[in-house]
Amino acid sequence: MGLDYSYEIFVPARNVATALTALTELAPPERHVPPLSLTLPGGIGLEVPFTSNFKSDPVDCTSAATLELDTSIMVAPDDAVLEDRAGRPIEPDEFGRILVGYVYLTVTFASELHPGYASLDFCAATSSMSRMFERSPNMRAVFTDLTAACGGVCCLLDTESDHFTICWLNGRTVHDTVPGPRFPDDRALVGIWPVPHT
């Protein structure tokens, strides 16, 4: 079995459309698939430049608990990103970013940690990408910047160990763990999140 490291972002449930819109800014400039039409809870319509289960058929999430997307993300290269992409074509976009390949996204509209928040769980597609998730400062910045852009409260890195690394919390970049001295468990972490507005 390979490594399945992931970044998980927690946003107020009403901000899912904002998060997905911000995510489209990370997509490669040229896509060879048609845009995917989504209907989110509350009837919000949105088009994204990704697929869902590798299909472009419209997805109605009005009564669904989750949404699965196959995303492609551009990132500014650093040593860890370049090592992961070694031997593959690298075509920088106008901002100097390069494509890191598929990143699988699961949106849970009511997180188990707090039903007032949604979670966006970005899972690496390969073991080498998983290692890059852990080692690349620029990849981490992609997810903390996305958290900030959509009003998220928390961003966690899951390296399939006995703890999660906290990368973003309540408006600032942090480097902490749960469990850890400050947060012995998930309940302690969620306890300092603000109450989301409905």
Side-chain angles (χ1 to χ4, degrees):
M1 285 180 57
L3 302 176
D4 294 310
Y5 294 179
S6 63
Y7 279 94
E8 188 168 14
I9 294 172
F10 296 88
V11 304
R14 60 185 166 78
N15 287 17
V16 169
T18 302
L20 293 176
T21 300
L23 181 62
T24 65
E25 299 299 318
L26 300 173
E30 294 183 9
R31 290 282 287 162
H32 302 293
V33 296
L36 176 68
S37 295
L38 304 174
T39 306
L40 301 177
I44 299 169
L46 190 66
E47 284 194 344
V48 294
F50 309 121
T51 55
S52 179
N53 297 309
F54 296 101
K55 297 178 181 177
S56 297
D57 301 333
V59 179
D60 186 346
C61 302
T62 50
S63 59
T66 60
L67 164 66
E68 305 282 342
L69 293 176
D70 321 300
T71 73
S72 298
I73 292 178
M74 305 291 287
V75 62
D78 57 22
D79 289 345
V81 171
L82 291 174
E83 182 178 329
D84 176 61
R85 303 310 292 166
R88 300 182 182 115
I90 295 176
E91 298 178 16
D93 67 5
E94 61 180 314
F95 305 109
R97 305 174 305 175
I98 64 173
L99 182 64
V100 296
Y102 280 115
V103 177
Y104 302 120
L105 169 60
T106 300
V107 179
T108 303
F109 295 110
S111 166
E112 289 183 9
L113 291 183
H114 190 307
Y117 285 93
S119 77
L120 289 81
D121 191 9
F122 295 86
C123 185
T126 65
S127 292
S128 65
M129 185 187 289
S130 289
R131 288 187 285 270
M132 184 263 288
F133 269 26
E134 182 179 25
R135 293 175 45 231
S136 167
N138 288 355
M139 197 78 240
R140 183 169 298 198
V142 162
F143 292 109
T144 55
D145 289 352
L146 181 60
T147 308
C150 62
V153 292
C154 189
C155 175
L156 302 175
L157 171 62
D158 178 5
T159 57
E160 301 181 307
S161 65
D162 60 356
H163 66 272
F164 295 88
T165 300
I166 307 168
C167 306
W168 177 272
L169 183 61
N170 290 346
R172 65 187 183 92
T173 302
V174 297
H175 191 81
D176 212 331
T177 62
V178 57
R182 185 178 175 198
F183 303 107
D185 54 30
D186 292 341
R187 185 175 178 180
L189 176 65
V190 174
I192 70 164
W193 294 0
V195 176
H197 300 293
T198 55

